[in-house]
Amino acid sequence: MKMSVLEEKLRQKNLKITPQRLEILRAVQNHQCDHPSAELIYQAVKKRYPAVSLATVYKTLETLVQIGEIRVAIVSDGKTRYDTRMDRHHHFLCSACGGVQDVEMRMDCLETCTPESLIGKGTIHRGEVIFHGICSGCEAKQAPAPNTPLL
Amino acid sequence: MKMSVLEEKLRQKNLKITPQRLEILRAVQNHQCDHPSAELIYQAVKKRYPAVSLATVYKTLETLVQIGEIRVAIVSDGKTRYDTRMDRHHHFLCSACGGVQDVEMRMDCLETCTPESLIGKGTIHRGEVIFHGICSGCEAKQAPAPNTPLL
DNA sequence: ATTATTGCAAATCCTTTGCACCGGC
DNA sequence: GCCGGTGCAAAGGATTTGCAATAAT
């Protein structure tokens, strides 16, 4: 997203444009594949803006969520991780290392139908798929290849 | 699941059958729809077994996850919530209240296909759908019905 | 000038850990 | 009796909050 669009969004909500916010947004954009935690963003921002406070990072990430610039990724790994892509995509969670990878996949059924068991229970805004499994990196570590001698 | 089956599982792993574990399992089974947190289970167990410690609840829930009796629900609401149903189902998360509801839905495509963007990235064990939206309870609170006068 | 934002430190919430005692087997 | 389990209190990690100083409009 272009800066000017973000600035517009901020102004519309009486939010001020500060160097901290711009740096944090930049860090977020540089970590599109990472599903970064607040701490990771903090470390990245500190490199260019050493005086930032972790509290500011937390507050700013919350603000970015509020204005719909980023969202919280659904991962349950004990810390909040952010999804900096707002377009439709899905996730693959590695049960071994906790890593998150994006999955590109059309699931038209998720866009169109309301499952019967949800009728009358509320309004669906979107559906996403979470795949659970073991990523190739962890597979390599955990089990030797089939015909690799152990010694 | 019948107690005897659980007891069998515990014995197989050299885990002891204690009153605390049985009470915690009972509480878990009584909260199939709640996706309960450790704290909620603790409160429920305390009613029948006032001396339990919260630490024991945490440890036991972890044990139950290890033996495949329950699993961690993917919800990212700041605390760990457990899913006491191990069969295939999906979830509806209310963005307003954080509530989780089960969704029954066949998604054969999730069982069979590997999305192209995942090929070579690891091994999928299962896929689940997360619906995001607003539950009917929160809808009622947040917006007056269309033709309800405001005053 | 006004009002939001920052940075710090303290506080809070959830969860884990160390350890002495207890209880299933 | 052995070894795992329990309960307590303390520690740990992530996030939030109160507040005075600062900076954006």
Side-chain angles (χ1 to χ4, degrees):
Chain A
M1 165 170 287
K2 292 194 303 261
M3 272 314 167
S4 56
V5 179
L6 174 74
E7 295 186 2
E8 192 52 38
K9 277 198 186 186
L10 289 172
R11 262 191 273 275
Q12 280 175 10
K13 311 227 176 186
N14 273 40
L15 299 171
K16 289 172 182 169
I17 296 167
T18 67
Q20 287 91 333
R21 283 188 174 158
L22 297 179
E23 274 306 325
I24 290 168
L25 182 71
R26 170 203 283 271
V28 155
Q29 289 173 333
N30 285 342
H31 288 271
Q32 291 244 128
C33 307
D34 291 3
H35 307 86
S37 64
E39 180 67 27
L40 193 151
I41 293 295
Y42 173 59
Q43 295 302 336
V45 171
K46 251 203 317 194
K47 286 182 190 152
R48 297 175 49 109
Y49 198 111
V52 252
S53 143
L54 185 52
T56 298
V57 172
Y58 273 103
K59 287 169 188 165
T60 302
L61 288 171
E62 170 63 14
T63 301
L64 292 175
V65 170
Q66 295 307 331
I67 67 176
E69 195 63 25
I70 62 178
R71 59 190 177 204
V72 171
I74 301 297
V75 294
S76 288
D77 74 337
K79 63 191 81 174
T80 301
R81 297 176 63 161
Y82 296 89
D83 199 335
T84 64
R85 278 181 58 182
M86 293 300 279
D87 62 318
R88 176 174 53 69
H89 66 286
H90 309 277
H91 288 137
F92 173 48
L93 308 188
C94 175
S95 323
C97 67
V100 189
Q101 296 183 50
D102 285 336
V103 176
E104 315 303 326
M105 180 180 59
R106 295 214 47 147
M107 288 287 281
D108 296 317
C109 36
L110 288 186
E111 314 294 323
T112 54
C113 72
T114 294
E116 276 181 42
S117 60
L118 262 183
I119 290 173
K121 296 209 181 154
T123 305
I124 300 177
H125 293 150
R126 67 190 179 91
E128 71 177 296
V129 181
I130 310 283
F131 292 98
H132 300 260
I134 306 288
C135 72
S136 41
C138 288
E139 276 180 333
K141 269 176 237 153
Q142 290 184 350
N147 25 20
T148 301
L150 281 173
L151 286 180
Chain B
M1 167 172 282
K2 292 194 302 261
M3 272 315 169
S4 56
V5 180
L6 174 73
E7 296 185 2
E8 193 49 39
K9 279 198 185 185
L10 288 172
R11 263 192 271 274
Q12 280 175 10
K13 310 226 176 187
N14 271 41
L15 298 171
K16 289 173 181 168
I17 295 167
T18 67
Q20 287 92 331
R21 284 188 174 158
L22 296 179
E23 273 307 323
I24 290 168
L25 183 71
R26 169 202 284 269
V28 155
Q29 288 173 334
N30 284 342
H31 289 270
Q32 291 244 127
C33 307
D34 291 3
H35 307 86
S37 63
E39 179 66 29
L40 194 151
I41 294 294
Y42 173 57
Q43 295 302 335
V45 172
K46 250 202 319 192
K47 285 181 191 153
R48 297 173 50 107
Y49 198 111
V52 249
S53 142
L54 184 52
T56 299
V57 172
Y58 273 102
K59 288 170 187 164
T60 303
L61 289 171
E62 170 62 15
T63 301
L64 292 176
V65 170
Q66 295 307 331
I67 66 175
E69 195 63 24
I70 62 178
R71 60 190 176 203
V72 171
I74 302 296
V75 294
S76 289
D77 74 336
K79 64 192 79 174
T80 301
R81 296 176 63 161
Y82 296 89
D83 199 334
T84 63
R85 279 182 56 183
M86 294 299 280
D87 63 319
R88 178 174 52 69
H89 65 287
H90 309 277
H91 288 137
F92 173 49
L93 308 187
C94 175
S95 323
C97 67
V100 189
Q101 295 182 50
D102 284 338
V103 176
E104 314 304 326
M105 181 180 58
R106 294 214 49 145
M107 288 287 282
D108 296 316
C109 34
L110 288 186
E111 313 295 321
T112 54
C113 72
T114 295
E116 278 182 40
S117 61
L118 263 184
I119 291 173
K121 295 209 180 154
T123 305
I124 299 176
H125 293 149
R126 67 190 179 93
E128 71 177 297
V129 181
I130 310 283
F131 291 98
H132 300 261
I134 306 288
C135 73
S136 42
C138 288
E139 275 179 332
K141 269 176 238 153
Q142 289 183 350
N147 27 20
T148 302
L150 281 173
L151 287 181

